[in-house]
Amino acid sequence: MPSQRPSAASESGEEERAFLQTRVALFWKVIFFIVLLGCALGVIGAVAKPGGDLVFTLASTANAGILWWLCRRGQRSIRFSRVVEGGGLLLNATMSAPLGRYLLAGFARDHSIVSAQAFLIADSYVTMLQVCGMALMLAIRAALIPSTPRRTILVTALYGVPTILVTTVLVPTAHGGLAWRALDSGAYPELPATLAMMWGFAIITCAVISWVIYGLRAEVREARRLGQYTLEEKIGEGGMGVVYRATHAMLRRPAAIKLLLPERAGEKNLARFEREVQLTSRLTHPHTISIFDYGRTADGVFYYVMEYVDGFDLERLVDEDGPLEPARVIRILAQASGALSEAHALGLIHRDIKPANIVLTERVDEPDIVKVVDFGLVKTLETSPGDVAVTNADAITGTPMYLAPEAIASPDSVDARSDLYALGAVGYFLLTGQHVFDAPTVVEVCSKHLVEAPMPPSQRLGRAVPPDLEALILACLAKKRENRPASAEAMRVALLACADAGNYDVAAARAWWADRGATIRARSKAKRAVAHAATMAINLRGRAGDRG
């Protein structure tokens, strides 16, 4: 049987701990209900003839139930789970070993068996049933609980010891009881040897089950590794790639990894994806997502590693909490403006500013931190012919609800002020909980962006909105670019100059996060949750072309 690789055999880490605890609990849950069924059948049979076999069955049921309960509570260590697994099995074997002898004694009593030959046949029959039940239990254990083949061999072998010993030294009597016998008496010499042979087959079967399942789990773990990172849950998917939460093997630092979707791995898309990360990696503003690394896997899958933000986007925030107070809108827009100001200074425009691409999170020292994410449609203000070919300038790119008029009429002419239009639309959404323009079709939405003046937020809400903030948002939504703020930095300055700018301070933000933030974050995670294990059909044993 092939040996497992050391990396695959590692049982460390939060994921392994939680998985082991869950599986040990599941195993004892299954055993509890199986034994409970046997106990119920025993009660039915023992109404007229109560006996010791029922006592042992009840004890086994209680044992399985207690162990299941222990593994369901709190966070148990790997060592604790292994003790519950192995110690529980040994205790179960010790209690169930005499059961076969009592069953045989009762069978002999009820059927008036007195001859040695009849005893041998009955003994073999009852013991075989008992061994089959034990083997089934150990097969369930091998299938459910992660274990190396070597450990499975050891656990299975030890589990059979009590039954073999009891079968060897206890003999049913014709009166329905049990008696000790001398090991050299020669009575029923075939039974212990036959039992040992049958249990050997059970050991081999369970070891093979563990080898196959443990090996498959090792392959999955290996497939989920990307250099020093281990992929975990999928947290998002965009037009160009899919994003997974990941953990660095040495630093234990969480990160987010974006991979180019295999079906989009054409030469043009690959060039665009690589260009995206190269441009984004130039951004260092505290309110822009940070890029840690990028490269390609051994089989050519392009990826990049970025900062993991444990929060939720503005779309989720408004969906869960409704329109925001003006002072908080100012705070959020000012941070986003700062991120755009750096990007525009470097000659980059985002082209897809929207609530879903602005994430809200918190730090230990400061809550309500904004991160602008997903520069997948980023465009340089000074493009080379190659860049134009990659970005497909003649196509409309972005999200219809947040497209500037020029992005619709002349996509190649978008500039920094197009991002400001989209940011104004985000501010409108935060204030009112509604989009600037709504219509049944994308064409109608685009038409409204081109020709229709937006309804003032105060009119949309039916209540007053600070005039300076409302005027600034409507200025961002001007059809002509020259009527919008001159730059993202100018917009940030104007936001901070609003009368309500200081009314939502750190204390207010911290109070909100304590009251609502954790709940919204948990709901957001629950709604985007997929299978915890990421499955990628790619060879990740090495990385070609890594940046280093």
Side-chain angles (χ1 to χ4, degrees), residues 314-330:
L314 298 184
E315 186 172 30
R316 174 68 59 197
L317 172 63
V318 173
D319 287 346
E320 293 280 354
D321 232 30
L324 308 185
E325 57 185 283
R328 193 178 188 190
V329 174
I330 292 171

Side-chain angles (χ1 to χ4, degrees), residues 374-393:
D374 199 356
F375 279 73
L377 301 177
V378 72
K379 173 178 167 53
T380 54
L381 294 175
E382 297 180 0
T383 57
S384 65
D387 288 333
V388 174
V390 169
T391 56
N392 194 12

Side-chain angles (χ1 to χ4, degrees), residues 11-336:
E11 294 277 309
S12 62
E14 172 61 20
E15 181 184 359
E16 289 295 334
R17 184 210 62 75
F19 184 79
L20 178 61
Q21 179 182 343
T22 301
R23 286 309 183 93
V24 172
L26 176 60
F27 168 70
W28 285 116
K29 178 181 179 181
V30 171
I31 298 304
F32 171 77
F33 283 107
I34 290 176
V35 181
L36 185 64
L37 177 62
C39 183
L41 295 176
V43 169
I44 295 174
V47 171
K49 300 172 293 183
D53 54 337
L54 182 58
V55 174
F56 286 111
T57 305
L58 287 171
S60 296
T61 305
N63 174 56
I66 291 171
L67 296 175
W68 172 31
W69 177 78
L70 285 175
C71 285
R72 288 184 60 198
R73 295 177 59 85
Q75 293 186 352
R76 302 300 190 181
S77 67
I78 289 178
R79 177 175 296 181
F80 180 90
S81 296
R82 287 300 187 193
V83 168
V84 169
E85 173 209 357
L89 282 170
L90 186 60
L91 181 60
N92 181 274
T94 303
M95 289 188 299
S96 61
L99 180 60
R101 304 289 86 195
Y102 273 106
L103 288 174
L104 179 58
F107 184 81
R109 180 192 61 225
D110 296 341
H111 294 81
S112 301
I113 296 176
V114 294
S115 70
Q117 183 65 27
F119 257 107
L120 179 60
I121 294 173
D123 199 357
S124 301
Y125 176 74
V126 172
T127 304
M128 189 178 300
L129 287 177
Q130 185 180 10
V131 169
C132 288
M134 294 166 55
L136 176 61
M137 179 178 179
L138 270 296
I140 294 173
R141 178 256 171 206
L144 290 181
I145 300 178
S147 174
T148 61
R150 180 179 302 176
R151 191 175 191 280
T152 294
I153 291 173
L154 178 63
V155 170
T156 308
L158 290 177
Y159 187 81
V161 169
T163 298
I164 294 175
L165 289 177
V166 170
T167 302
T168 303
V169 300
L170 287 180
V171 181
T173 67
H175 303 291
L178 294 175
W180 296 99
R181 71 162 185 174
L183 295 179
D184 59 353
S185 65
Y188 314 125
E190 300 89 351
L191 185 58
T194 303
L195 182 59
M197 182 179 66
M198 292 177 62
W199 199 245
F201 284 124
I203 291 173
I204 293 173
T205 300
C206 292
V208 170
I209 293 173
S210 280
W211 174 58
V212 171
I213 294 179
Y214 193 79
L216 289 174
R217 290 195 69 243
E219 291 179 11
V220 169
R221 282 196 298 268
E222 185 65 24
R224 289 170 53 204
R225 292 191 62 82
L226 198 68
Q228 290 295 315
Y229 292 90
T230 300
L231 301 182
E232 296 174 357
E233 62 175 327
K234 186 169 79 171
I235 57 177
E237 186 169 349
M240 290 299 298
V242 59
V243 183
Y244 289 91
R245 189 186 189 278
T247 300
H248 192 279
M250 302 298 292
L251 301 176
R252 308 306 301 168
R253 176 180 67 183
I257 296 183
K258 186 172 184 177
L259 301 100
L260 178 62
L261 294 172
E263 61 269 21
R264 298 175 181 264
E267 183 178 350
K268 180 177 177 181
N269 284 322
L270 190 60
R272 179 177 169 186
F273 194 85
E274 189 166 3
R275 178 177 172 277
E276 170 190 341
V277 66
Q278 289 172 344
L279 293 172
T280 309
S281 64
R282 295 163 56 186
L283 303 174
T284 60
H285 195 276
H287 298 302
T288 302
I289 204 77
S290 299
I291 303 296
F292 298 149
D293 189 18
Y294 73 92
R296 297 186 190 182
T297 65
D299 57 350
V301 176
F302 193 89
Y303 71 92
Y304 69 85
V305 185
M306 56 187 158
E307 172 187 7
Y308 174 73
V309 181
D310 187 14
F312 41 86
D313 59 55
L314 298 184
E315 186 172 30
R316 174 68 59 197
L317 172 63
V318 173
D319 287 346
E320 293 280 354
D321 232 30
L324 308 185
E325 57 185 283
R328 193 178 188 190
V329 174
I330 292 171
R331 179 184 173 91
I332 290 172
L333 294 182
Q335 293 181 59

